[in-house]
Amino acid sequence: MCTVYHAPWTKSLLSTCRDPKSVAQIHALMLITGILNHIDSNGHLISSYARSGDIPAARQVFDETPQRATPTCNAMIIAYSRRSFPSEVLNLYRRMLLEGPRPDSSTFTLALKACATLFNLKAGEEIRRQAADCGYKDDVFVGSSVLNMYVKCGKMNEAMRVFDEMPMRDLVSWTTMITGFAQSGRVIEAVGVYRRMRLEGIEGDGIVMVGSIQACTGLGDLKMALSVHGYMIRQEHPMEVVVKTSIVDMYAKNGLLKLACRVFEKMSSTNVVLWSALISGFAQNGFAADALRLLIEMQDRGFEPDLVALVSALLACSQIGYLKFGKSMHGFIVRQYKFDRISGTAVIDMYSKCGSLSSARALFDRVSSRDSISWNAMISSYGVHGHGKEALLLFIQMKSLMKPDDATFASLLSAFSHSGLVKEGLYWFDLMVREFNIQPSEKHYACMVDLLARAGQIDEAYELIKSMAIEPGIAVWVALLSGCRNHGNSSIGETVAKKVLELKPDDPGIYALVSNVFATARKWDEVAHVRKVMKKMGMKKIPGYSVVEVNGELHAFLMEDKSHPQHEKIMAMLERLDFEMREMGYVPNTEFVLHDLEEEVKKTMLCNHSERLAIAFALLNTGPGTRILITKNLRVCGDCHNATKFISKIVDREIVVRDAKRFHHFKDGVCSCGDYW
């Protein structure tokens, strides 16, 4: 008696097959029994071959099928789509249009997905029109695929128009729009779509939450960020590692490091991405030591740092001048990874910020694929070291290879400012507009005002501000105020100081500068007013500190710091140096103590500035001739600058001081800045 096999039984049997050999056996059975002629059987067989990984066999079945129904064509299209063959998907779709059968929702959805993968917007829009002609204009799956295509091709405005016209939107549609806006940097729109979704009562999944959190991170909208996180907790939303990682990244990048650590510590399991997000947050918010501590702890926990963590750690080394640690990470990157543009630029920046400009340039010359960011970093490096002419030569070399951008000109103009190259600055600022069609932004005006004001051309800088086509921001006014402070121009300085206060800056360093301008003019009532405003706003003057690396370890000193174990030896060294300096003609300049105090008290305070304590400690703990690198968080004062010149000659050492603005290389009683800073 002959057994009769029906198509449903065959489908069930095929669904259990996971290897090509088993599928082939059932294929043979279907041929013998004639079931292969059933209209649906070929599609099931194609799907089974594809699922087992044998795409050529699936295609052979498709080609040998005499009459192909829509399910058969869709099965082959699905097979190609899942195996990431978008061109084959489109070829089959076009063949369907020519030979039949009629495409359905699944066909159009997969064809549009292929267009998105290939960034083929022209083909995608044609398929969209064909879907509408076939009655699928309002199909939610086709609509979501159209959204995805526009988002992938960077056409967010078109995507939004389609989204608004959709009669029905599923969670995929909302997710596509939120993540699309977030990833394209249009975070305000991303947050807006998320709010619309919540108003319509749609419950978001993990992907929506990640997109929303990314938008909050980019926008700096902490209130919304806390709201999203709170919503997830209240709804007992299952927060996967990727969602929690986004939350940690959001809090860390917005400076809420305690909250970031709290979420991090409550996680049952961690991964490299999570550690990297936390390290990046600490580094970007200026907590360099914590970032490096986390990197070491990450490795102790068995995680090998990725390039994100390493680049963040390099930034931390740059902030505090930790050359030894930076060199070790450079070596690690060379051994474990290929240098890309980001890591290469980070290492170049690290060497420059740690005072080793020659190493930065040597690495820059070895990097084969340099983009504008790499060139800008090197030009900027020459600038902060006061090598404006070298920066210009590099700029001219770059200009012959690629078009400079607005950031390039900002780096170049800043380099001119640090070197006092006023004529060059005015020439290239004019050429930037006329030849390169780059309209000056606030950062360019700030550089030019700084250039003129540093050179003592206060009136010219003031006139430039008045002629600006855009409203001058805080950076421009602060540049002028610094010039007034340095050159003792109290008349314009007091006017600008009051203008700065009107803008209500959120940086205590700016209030300190305003206070110093009034103090220089002996306007003690105004000084008291500024300090009262700072107190009311909960601001405190940033204490000056200096960091020095000795024998691979960092040592930090505050002004009048008495906590160091070698404090007595440090003070004895400073007393000896002070005696020898005075013998050579050094006279303390108490104008740089901006407090209403007795002269002798002021002299004592100058001697206890943090950079002098760091220099004395380094002299005590390093051998003769050893180069000393000091990193200071504030600008070096004029008296310490003068004193360090004397010290470099007395001890016959090179002393490099990196302050908040630039580098000073002291040697043989002379500074590389030529007393211009």
Side-chain angles (χ1 to χ4, degrees), residues 574-646:
L574 286 174
E575 285 181 20
R576 181 173 71 81
L577 289 171
D578 186 63
F579 175 78
E580 294 188 46
M581 284 158 55
R582 289 174 188 267
E583 289 286 303
M584 295 172 66
Y586 164 73
V587 177
N589 188 345
T590 56
E591 287 184 6
F592 292 98
V593 180
L594 300 173
H595 297 276
D596 195 9
L597 301 169
E598 296 292 332
E599 280 298 301
E600 287 306 313
V601 176
K602 289 183 179 182
K603 290 177 183 178
T604 303
M605 289 180 70
L606 286 173
C607 193
N608 281 275
H609 277 188
S610 63
E611 57 266 52
R612 295 204 204 182
L613 298 174
I615 290 170
F617 171 77
L619 291 172
L620 287 167
N621 292 277
T622 57
T626 304
R627 180 174 178 264
I628 297 171
L629 171 65
I630 308 294
T631 302
K632 184 173 182 179
N633 66 321
L634 305 177
R635 284 196 71 188
V636 63
C637 80
D639 184 72
C640 286
H641 186 271
N642 192 33
T644 308
K645 289 194 294 184
F646 280 101

Side-chain angles (χ1 to χ4, degrees), residues 79-353:
Y80 279 132
S81 181
R82 287 178 176 171
R83 291 288 171 171
S84 299
F85 295 129
S87 296
E88 294 297 336
V89 170
L90 291 182
N91 288 337
L92 274 184
Y93 167 77
R94 291 178 182 125
R95 186 170 171 179
M96 281 183 73
L97 294 182
L98 291 173
E99 301 175 0
R102 182 185 176 90
D104 62 7
S105 173
S106 296
T107 317
F108 289 120
T109 298
L110 292 169
L112 287 163
K113 179 184 176 184
C115 292
T117 304
L118 295 169
F119 303 105
N120 191 338
L121 189 60
K122 184 178 179 181
E125 290 182 329
E126 178 62 26
I127 293 169
R128 180 192 174 193
R129 285 191 291 270
Q130 290 162 352
D133 291 341
C134 290
Y136 293 99
K137 179 183 178 182
D138 295 331
D139 184 272
V140 67
F141 301 109
V142 173
S144 293
S145 294
V146 171
L147 287 183
N148 179 60
M149 177 190 67
Y150 279 128
V151 168
K152 289 282 181 65
C153 294
K155 301 292 184 180
M156 290 306 303
N157 291 340
E158 289 83 349
M160 195 68 208
R161 278 196 291 271
V162 172
F163 182 79
D164 287 335
E165 292 171 359
M166 290 174 71
M168 290 181 59
R169 307 181 190 96
D170 60 0
L171 185 57
V172 174
S173 305
W174 289 100
T175 303
T176 301
M177 293 307 299
I178 292 169
T179 56
F181 276 127
Q183 291 171 3
S184 61
R186 296 171 62 173
V187 292
I188 295 175
E189 289 98 324
V191 171
V193 175
Y194 172 75
R195 285 177 171 149
R196 278 179 61 183
M197 185 189 80
R198 295 295 304 122
L199 287 172
E200 293 191 18
I202 306 295
E203 297 291 337
D205 62 3
I207 300 174
V208 171
M209 293 304 161
V210 169
S212 304
I213 292 165
Q214 287 175 342
C216 295
T217 304
L219 188 60
D221 190 338
L222 297 182
K223 186 176 179 181
M224 173 60 75
L226 291 166
S227 174
V228 172
H229 189 190
Y231 165 77
M232 296 175 74
I233 293 171
R234 289 192 303 275
Q235 299 295 320
E236 297 183 353
H237 198 285
M239 288 189 280
E240 308 91 348
V241 172
V242 66
V243 178
K244 289 185 178 179
T245 301
S246 297
I247 292 171
V248 169
D249 182 59
M250 171 191 68
Y251 285 141
K253 283 184 178 174
N254 284 287
L256 299 176
L257 297 171
K258 288 184 178 178
L259 282 174
C261 289
R262 196 176 303 168
V263 176
F264 178 85
E265 289 163 0
K266 287 185 176 180
M267 293 185 67
S268 56
S269 62
T270 57
N271 57 26
V272 172
V273 177
L274 188 61
W275 280 95
S276 298
L278 201 59
I279 291 168
S280 176
F282 274 100
Q284 290 177 13
N285 283 283
F287 295 93
D290 293 299
L292 297 178
R293 175 185 56 78
L294 280 169
L295 181 73
I296 295 170
E297 186 180 344
M298 174 186 182
Q299 292 174 294
D300 290 342
R301 299 276 189 92
F303 293 98
E304 184 173 294
D306 60 6
L307 279 175
V308 175
L310 293 168
V311 167
S312 298
L314 284 166
L315 172 62
C317 290
S318 301
Q319 290 170 350
I320 54 179
Y322 203 169
L323 183 60
K324 182 178 180 180
F325 203 104
K327 280 183 175 179
S328 69
M329 279 188 288
H330 179 193
F332 184 84
I333 292 172
V334 170
R335 292 190 302 273
Q336 300 294 327
Y337 300 96
K338 286 185 178 180
F339 257 132
D340 62 10
R341 292 171 182 174
I342 295 174
S343 59
T345 303
V347 175
I348 290 169
D349 185 65
M350 180 275 298
Y351 278 120
S352 170
K353 296 281 177 64

